[in-house]
Amino acid sequence: MKNIVVLVSGGGTNLQALIDAEKSGTIINGKITCVISSNPSAYALQRAENNGIPTRIIPRKEYPDSKSYSLAVLDALNEENADLVVLAGFMTILDQCVTSQYAYRIINVHPALIPSFCGEGFYGLKVHQAVLDYGVKISGATIHFVNEKADAGAIILQGVVNVEKNDTPEILQRRIMENVEWKLLPEAVSLFCQDRIEIVDGKAYVTE
Ligand code: GAR
């Protein structure tokens, strides 16, 4: 059974999708053993507590830079014996000290179709605003491994939705969460826990 540590910063609907998937048995060979928040008032912490999952708070504000923050996160991940780290609405970019030690063991959900609308500065509703400003007709979400560059690691799964004429960032965000994020993130986590993601030449493939 693999230990899954989930990193959060906000509402935690993706964390909830993972909790629900674990409860219904669709995460095979994995268990959420700890939730770590960068934000002491994140509602995601409440979701973890409601489900008896241990929590840790490592406030981003208490660290002067990304390196010192990432070292604190790294210590926590090592203490928790994390086999898989899931960034579920985690709004801080982790330094190379974490991404190299946990290479191909950190999964992120990004709310757009990478390589579009991604990288530094593209997070949360800003992503959906940029999509609407550009006028693209489809968007979606990407589940990918995390490497030293923001949103640039190997893609595991992607799913699409239509962008509609009267969408607001909030409406589009909700459509992408409901139709893609809440389904594909638990699916990718389950595949990882079953050792069904193979890396070939830096690209990720799902095996039978
Ligand atoms: C989700 O849409 C997630 O894809 C996005 O933030 C939202 C968090 O929602 N993540 C990023 O933008 C990371 N770059 P949640 O807290 O309800 O899961």
Side-chain angles (χ1 to χ4, degrees):
M1 187 68 95
K2 294 197 199 294
N3 292 339
I4 305 167
V5 175
V6 185
L7 273 55
V8 297
S9 301
T13 63
N14 278 291
L15 169 66
Q16 190 67 54
L18 291 170
I19 293 170
D20 294 346
E22 186 186 320
K23 280 190 175 164
S24 69
T26 52
I27 293 184
I28 297 166
N29 198 39
K31 180 178 164 56
I32 304 168
T33 49
C34 182
V35 169
I36 301 177
S37 179
S38 62
N39 166 13
S41 53
Y43 184 67
L45 286 167
Q46 189 65 52
R47 295 182 192 270
E49 279 160 26
N50 291 347
N51 288 278
I53 301 167
T55 59
R56 287 180 178 232
I57 301 171
I58 309 179
R60 177 63 183 88
K61 282 188 185 150
E62 288 182 10
Y63 295 82
D65 50 34
S66 165
K67 180 83 194 272
S68 58
Y69 184 73
S70 298
L71 285 170
V73 171
L74 183 60
D75 280 348
L77 295 176
N78 290 339
E79 280 171 21
E80 295 294 336
N81 292 313
D83 296 306
L84 171 64
V85 181
V86 180
L87 310 187
F90 186 65
M91 298 305 181
T92 297
I93 293 176
L94 291 170
D95 187 86
Q96 203 177 344
C97 64
V98 181
T99 57
S100 59
Q101 194 172 323
Y102 281 84
Y104 295 109
R105 289 195 290 152
I106 310 176
I107 288 177
N108 180 47
V109 52
H110 180 73
L113 294 172
I114 290 174
S116 292
F117 307 105
C118 64
E120 249 173 272
F122 284 95
Y123 58 87
L125 287 172
K126 285 177 197 272
V127 176
H128 306 294
Q129 185 65 63
V131 162
L132 296 177
D133 288 347
Y134 201 98
V136 294
K137 304 305 177 213
I138 55 168
S139 190
T142 304
I143 317 298
H144 65 95
F145 284 113
V146 173
N147 65 9
E148 69 288 352
K149 287 200 203 132
D151 299 327
I155 292 172
I156 303 166
L157 298 171
Q158 290 185 300
V160 300
V161 302
N162 288 327
V163 179
E164 308 287 352
K165 189 173 175 213
N166 294 319
D167 276 350
T168 62
E170 290 80 6
I171 291 171
L172 181 58
Q173 177 185 55
R174 182 79 192 182
R175 187 180 307 125
I176 291 172
M177 283 175 154
E178 277 179 2
N179 291 285
V180 187
E181 296 185 40
W182 299 343
K183 293 179 181 161
L184 294 194
L185 183 61
E187 186 180 334
V189 166
S190 185
L191 289 168
F192 179 94
C193 291
Q194 297 170 74
D195 295 319
R196 286 182 53 202
I197 307 176
E198 182 187 31
I199 305 297
V200 181
D201 291 338
K203 291 190 263 300
Y205 299 93
V206 174
T207 61
E208 284 310 312

